């Protein structure tokens, strides 16, 4: 029986409706891809501008100084804010639970968890530096009295000898923190408090007393291995993922690894020997050039340091502290008592240079420590926000739980 006119009309309308839906879906997909490309371009430009500004404002003596590290941490915090704006704020957050983001986001958060231990190691390293500064303060104070006596010189020399020994001995460096136990508990939380990562209630007197709710880190923990683990599977997205949100996640991971690498290079950390002189940063990234330039300059500083067989960090103030201490010890060893006024003035001049370095450290180390702590808590909060999104969507990203 031949089809009726009504049946033909119905089939025509159905086919037309399907085609319209297909066109609408293609247009929606195209709009979404265009938005992702735009977000990626904006994100890359802002990250690139941040590192270009950091590089252009850095003269050779300022690289790896306390002030420069604080600027670097400011850049990281800005990058982290831009990342959350691009990934979470301008779109439905649940998209991070869908492929390919459901693989990439857990990798990023796993690096953040590893970064928490590095932040704590750096905090302990800053405390070591503060301890060494106190030894230098003892030497400076001992030599301020006139006339210079043998007892004063002996006291100053002992303090500087202890300082130099601590800076050159990795075992001393890892346990010098005011008699702390050699086994440290790191990551989430701290002694005598709740485990939340929101940063509330942390008192200044509790520096370095973090207590782990996830793992206990002993003396076998290695900063070098931690950086290696963070960079191990840092693979640049390919194909369609290279032009979307996946690339933003990759760039943020690269920034995170780079910043943690710089902190480990600059600040005394447990078992940093063997840390790679470079981390993988693809040159085709828009933000790669300034980061690679900084990495090359830091690597040159590392080569100079390795020639001197030193184990302390590349922090500029540490280099000056060690150099001044060696110079003062040599001069003290050449003194003949009673000390001639000319020699005493030469001694005071060298100790004056040491005192200037101590003053810079006095002014900068506490703010640096607070900034490292701010990075720590920002990472904890971001991790909690991401886990909440996965929880609300019924997903269970096992790698980051």
């Amino acid at each position: 029986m031949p089809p009726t006119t009504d049946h033909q009309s119905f089939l025509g309308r159905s086919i037309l409706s399907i085609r319209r839906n297909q066109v609408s879906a293609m247009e929606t997909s195209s709009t979404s891809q265009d938005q992702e490309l735009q977000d990626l371009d904006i994100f890359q430009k802002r990250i690139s501008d941040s590192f270009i500004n950091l590089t252009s404002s850095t003269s050779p003596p300022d690289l790896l100084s306390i002030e420069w590290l604080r600027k670097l941490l400011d850049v990281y915090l800005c990058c982290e804010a831009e990342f959350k704006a691009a990934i979470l704020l301008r779109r439905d957050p649940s998209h991070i639970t869908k492929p390919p983001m459901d693989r990439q986001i857990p990798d990023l958060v796993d690096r953040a968890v590893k970064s928490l231990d590095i932040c704590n190691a750096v905090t302990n390293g800053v405390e070591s530096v503060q301890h060494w500064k106190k030894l230098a303060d003892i030497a400076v104070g001992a030599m301020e009295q006139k006339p210079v006596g043998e007892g004063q010189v002996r006291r100053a020399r002992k303090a500087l000898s202890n300082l130099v020994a601590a800076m050159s001995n990795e075992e001393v460096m890892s346990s010098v923190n005011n008699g702390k136990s050699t086994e440290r508990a790191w990551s989430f939380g701290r002694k005598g408090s709740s485990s939340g990562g929101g940063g509330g209630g942390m008192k200044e007197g509790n520096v370095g007393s973090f207590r782990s709710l996830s793992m206990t880190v002993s003396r076998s923990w290695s900063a070098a291995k931690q950086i290696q683990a963070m960079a191990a599977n840092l693979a640049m997205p390919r194909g369609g993922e290279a032009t979307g949100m996946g690339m933003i996640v990759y760039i943020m991971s690269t920034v995170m690894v780079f910043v943690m690498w710089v902190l480990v290079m600059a600040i005394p950390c447990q078992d940093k020997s063997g840390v790679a002189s470079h981390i993988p940063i693809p040159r085709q990234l828009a933000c790669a050039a300034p980061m690679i330039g900084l990495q090359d300059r830091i690597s040159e500083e590392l080569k100079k340091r390795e020639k001197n067989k030193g184990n302390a960090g590349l922090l500029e103030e540490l280099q000056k502290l060690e150099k001044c201490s060696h110079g003062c010890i040599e001069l003290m060893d050449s003194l003949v008592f009673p000390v001639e006024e000319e020699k005493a003035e030469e001694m005071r001049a060298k100790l004056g240079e040491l005192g200037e370095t101590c003053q810079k450290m006095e002014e900068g180390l506490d703010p640096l420590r607070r900034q490292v702590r701010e990075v720590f808590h920002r990472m904890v909060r971001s991790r909690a926000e991401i886990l909440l999104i996965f929880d609300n969507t019924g997903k269970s990203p096992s790698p980051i739980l």
Side-chain angles (χ1 to χ4, degrees), residues 2 36 63 101 140 169 184 195 208 247 260 262 277 280 341 400:
E36 288 191 4
L63 182 67
M101 299 287 282
V140 173
N169 189 314
R184 299 187 180 104
S195 63
M247 181 59 76
M260 293 300 116
V262 174
S277 60
E341 186 58 30
I400 59 177

Side-chain angles (χ1 to χ4, degrees), residues 167-184:
M167 292 181 69
S168 60
N169 189 314
E170 191 168 353
E171 287 300 317
V172 175
M173 188 167 59
S174 65
S175 61
V176 73
N177 270 329
N178 303 321
K180 284 183 182 167
S181 168
T182 54
E183 183 169 295
R184 299 187 180 104

Side-chain angles (χ1 to χ4, degrees), residues 12-304:
R13 288 196 303 271
S14 298
I15 293 173
L16 182 61
S17 176
I18 291 172
R19 287 178 177 174
R20 283 175 177 171
N21 289 337
Q22 289 176 338
V23 170
S24 177
M26 291 176 63
E27 289 177 347
T28 301
S29 175
S30 177
T31 301
S32 176
Q33 290 176 355
D34 290 343
Q35 183 62 49
E36 288 191 4
L37 279 172
Q38 183 179 359
D39 288 344
L40 175 59
D41 289 342
I42 293 173
F43 182 74
Q44 287 200 91
K45 185 177 187 310
R46 289 179 176 171
I47 302 302
S48 180
D49 289 345
S50 295
F51 277 99
I52 288 173
N53 291 336
L54 179 66
T55 305
S56 61
S57 63
T58 305
S59 57
D62 295 331
L63 182 67
L64 294 174
S65 65
I66 295 173
E67 182 181 358
W68 186 84
L69 287 180
R70 293 188 61 198
K71 291 179 181 178
L72 175 70
L73 293 179
D74 280 338
V75 166
Y76 174 80
L77 291 171
C78 290
C79 292
E80 202 265 354
E82 292 288 346
F83 170 76
K84 288 174 69 174
I87 293 295
L88 300 178
L89 299 183
R90 289 199 287 268
R91 51 179 45 81
D92 180 3
S94 66
H95 82 106
I96 68 172
T97 65
K98 302 172 183 177
M101 299 287 282
D102 61 339
R103 301 189 316 271
Q104 297 166 330
I105 290 292
D107 286 342
L108 173 71
V109 179
D110 180 65
R111 291 188 183 93
V113 171
K114 290 181 172 64
S115 297
L116 298 180
D117 280 341
I118 292 179
C119 287
N120 282 313
V122 168
T123 298
N124 286 325
V126 170
E127 289 188 10
S128 294
V129 175
Q130 288 176 318
H131 178 76
W132 300 341
K133 185 199 78 69
K134 290 178 182 177
L135 292 174
D137 286 336
I138 291 172
V140 173
M143 298 298 289
E144 284 179 345
Q145 302 175 23
K146 295 182 181 181
V148 176
E150 188 172 355
Q152 296 165 248
V153 174
R154 188 163 53 246
R155 185 184 182 205
R157 193 192 186 289
K158 182 180 179 181
L160 294 179
S161 296
N162 289 340
L163 188 158
V164 171
M167 292 181 69
S168 60
N169 189 314
E170 191 168 353
E171 287 300 317
V172 175
M173 188 167 59
S174 65
S175 61
V176 73
N177 270 329
N178 303 321
K180 284 183 182 167
S181 168
T182 54
E183 183 169 295
R184 299 187 180 104
W186 291 347
S187 287
F188 304 100
R190 55 198 179 276
K191 291 181 182 176
S193 69
S194 62
S195 63
M202 176 169 275
K203 298 182 183 299
E204 289 297 320
N206 290 336
V207 179
S209 60
F210 294 103
R211 190 171 213 174
S212 175
L213 300 182
S214 59
M215 61 183 291
T216 298
V217 183
S218 69
R219 289 188 65 182
S220 63
W221 184 86
S222 166
K225 290 179 181 178
Q226 196 82 334
I227 293 293
Q228 183 181 7
M230 290 179 67
N233 61 341
L234 191 60
M236 188 171 178
R238 297 180 178 180
E241 295 179 10
T243 57
M245 294 292 99
M247 181 59 76
I248 292 181
V249 177
Y250 171 76
I251 293 172
M252 189 64 222
S253 287
T254 301
V255 170
M256 183 185 297
V257 175
F258 175 77
V259 171
M260 293 300 116
W261 175 81
V262 174
L263 289 177
V264 168
M265 298 292 268
I267 304 295
C269 291
Q270 184 172 307
D271 189 23
K272 61 192 297 177
S273 58
V275 62
S277 60
H278 287 79
I279 57 172
I281 303 177
R283 294 185 179 275
Q284 58 266 42
L285 288 180
C287 57
M291 294 173 67
I292 291 174
L294 288 172
Q295 188 169 237
D296 290 342
R297 292 170 63 183
I298 293 171
S299 298
E300 286 299 316
E301 291 296 320
L302 178 63
K303 291 178 183 177
K304 296 176 186 176

